[in-house]
Amino acid sequence: MLELRLVQGSLLKKVLEATKDLVTDANFDCSATGFSLQAMDSSHVALVALLLRSEGFEHYRCDRNISMGMNLNNMSKMLKCAGNDDIITIKGDDGSDTVTFMFESPNQDKISDFEMKLMDIDSEHLGIPEAEYHAIVKMPSSEFQRICKDLSSIGDTVVISVTKEGVKFSTRGDIGTANIVCRQNKTVDKPEEATIIEMNEPVSLTFALRYLNSFTKATPLSESVTVSLSSELPVVVEYKIADMGYIRFYLAPKIED
Amino acid sequence: TCKQQKLSAFFGCK
């Protein structure tokens, strides 16, 4: 028996919008820790890891660990039927091949339930080791989104370099080149507007902008984003989900052929 | 030219 009641149902709607274009099918894992997901895109270049901790739910009942295979496009279709202010409850029974999403309007005058078919997904779970990163950049998520979008109109890849000067995003394409440098800036009104660069060692890595642009669909989940870089490691782009957990995207770098 | 690496080059199976 599984019953998870999320008062801020819009979070789940936003999570689906952030993941459904990257991953088609995924197993949602439910345990005492929380509701989680780990899935790779079809080309095994990018990975999404989601955690919504059990404490973040108003009611969290998960009698035993359960994995539910869902088609994210279909799940998104169902969650789009929930209002932004609705409370969402996820219900499942042991051995059942369906999951139920229940939506309650804030004043309880409308209650809907949508039953979705589950699927068997043979997913590869990767072990992601804890790593020391050479540089960690925290910046406003809207700024990161803007940079990725702007650069993708010029080139297909971005070189992200962190030095003591700041973080530089560079691209080149048929029409020319572009460089955007963001310097550390802590003198802002709100902490989420700050750009904070922690650098242990300078680092420079190349990534496909197509994937980074896809990651920025998580922007509505958090006002700031953390980009962790280490040479010879996939970049981690993390959006914290207030009081609940995170959505992290991993992307393998491109190397000189 | 740049070659796209795969995640399996970095992360092992659990």
Side-chain angles (χ1 to χ4, degrees):
Chain A
M1 173 79 182
L2 168 96
E3 202 167 274
L4 320 179
R5 191 168 198 262
L6 182 61
V7 174
Q8 208 181 338
S10 60
L11 286 182
L12 198 60
K13 286 164 70 79
K14 289 175 188 170
V15 162
L16 261 290
E17 289 314 296
T19 48
K20 74 180 172 65
D21 294 336
L22 192 66
V23 174
T24 314
D25 304 316
N27 281 318
F28 281 87
D29 299 314
C30 199
S31 70
T33 311
F35 193 60
S36 65
L37 168 154
Q38 192 206 84
M40 276 190 283
D41 80 300
S42 57
S43 56
H44 290 200
V45 167
L47 180 143
V48 55
L50 164 77
L51 175 65
L52 299 176
R53 289 188 197 93
S54 52
E55 307 90 78
F57 290 82
E58 191 209 43
H59 170 71
Y60 192 93
R61 180 178 172 187
C62 176
D63 294 345
R64 63 177 185 87
N65 291 359
I66 182 170
S67 190
M68 295 184 292
M70 303 194 206
N71 174 286
L72 298 194
N73 205 34
N74 293 343
M75 188 177 172
S76 166
K77 282 181 190 171
M78 294 205 164
L79 293 182
K80 275 187 178 166
C81 301
N84 279 332
D85 300 327
D86 281 3
I87 298 164
I88 298 181
T89 304
I90 304 167
K91 291 181 184 180
D93 283 316
D94 288 347
S96 168
D97 59 356
T98 61
V99 60
T100 298
F101 302 109
M102 190 174 90
F103 311 141
E104 296 167 65
S105 64
N107 60 2
Q108 305 284 314
D109 60 355
K110 182 180 168 190
I111 296 170
S112 329
D113 63 85
F114 290 70
E115 192 181 80
M116 190 177 81
K117 290 176 189 161
L118 295 176
M119 54 199 297
D120 281 326
I121 300 167
D122 206 10
S123 75
E124 205 179 338
H125 232 67
L126 292 183
I128 302 168
E130 284 289 318
E132 285 280 320
Y133 286 92
H134 289 163
I136 299 173
V137 178
K138 187 178 178 207
M139 64 193 297
S141 58
S142 55
E143 186 61 54
F144 182 67
Q145 183 179 41
R146 174 77 197 264
I147 291 169
C148 293
K149 180 171 168 280
D150 287 352
L151 293 186
S152 62
S153 65
I154 314 287
D156 296 330
T157 60
V158 60
V159 179
I160 306 180
S161 312
V162 184
T163 62
K164 60 181 191 316
E165 308 301 321
V167 53
K168 183 165 82 168
F169 301 86
S170 309
T171 192
R172 61 175 60 243
D174 294 341
I175 63 166
T177 62
N179 296 291
I180 299 172
V181 177
C182 297
R183 294 208 174 91
Q184 176 151 286
N185 177 13
K186 291 180 174 173
T187 54
V188 287
D189 295 339
K190 294 186 233 161
E192 56 271 21
E193 289 169 358
T195 297
I196 298 166
I197 299 167
E198 287 172 35
M199 190 195 75
N200 297 319
E201 268 182 61
V203 60
S204 182
L205 287 160
T206 304
F207 300 101
L209 277 164
R210 181 165 73 88
Y211 289 100
L212 292 178
N213 266 314
S214 175
F215 302 166
T216 63
K217 289 188 176 157
T219 303
L221 282 165
S222 182
E223 298 223 47
S224 56
V225 63
T226 307
V227 181
S228 303
L229 298 144
S230 226
S231 50
E232 311 300 321
L233 272 183
V235 62
V236 190
V237 179
E238 180 182 75
Y239 297 83
K240 290 245 189 299
I241 302 173
D243 303 329
M244 288 215 76
Y246 56 77
I247 185 163
R248 289 179 188 150
F249 300 96
Y250 294 81
L251 176 62
K254 297 186 93 169
I255 50 163
E256 285 296 326
D257 209 356
Chain B
T1 57
C2 274
K3 186 179 154 213
Q4 176 65 62
Q5 294 182 287
K6 304 254 182 190
L7 288 171
S8 53
F10 305 95
F11 302 146
C13 280
K14 220 177 195 174

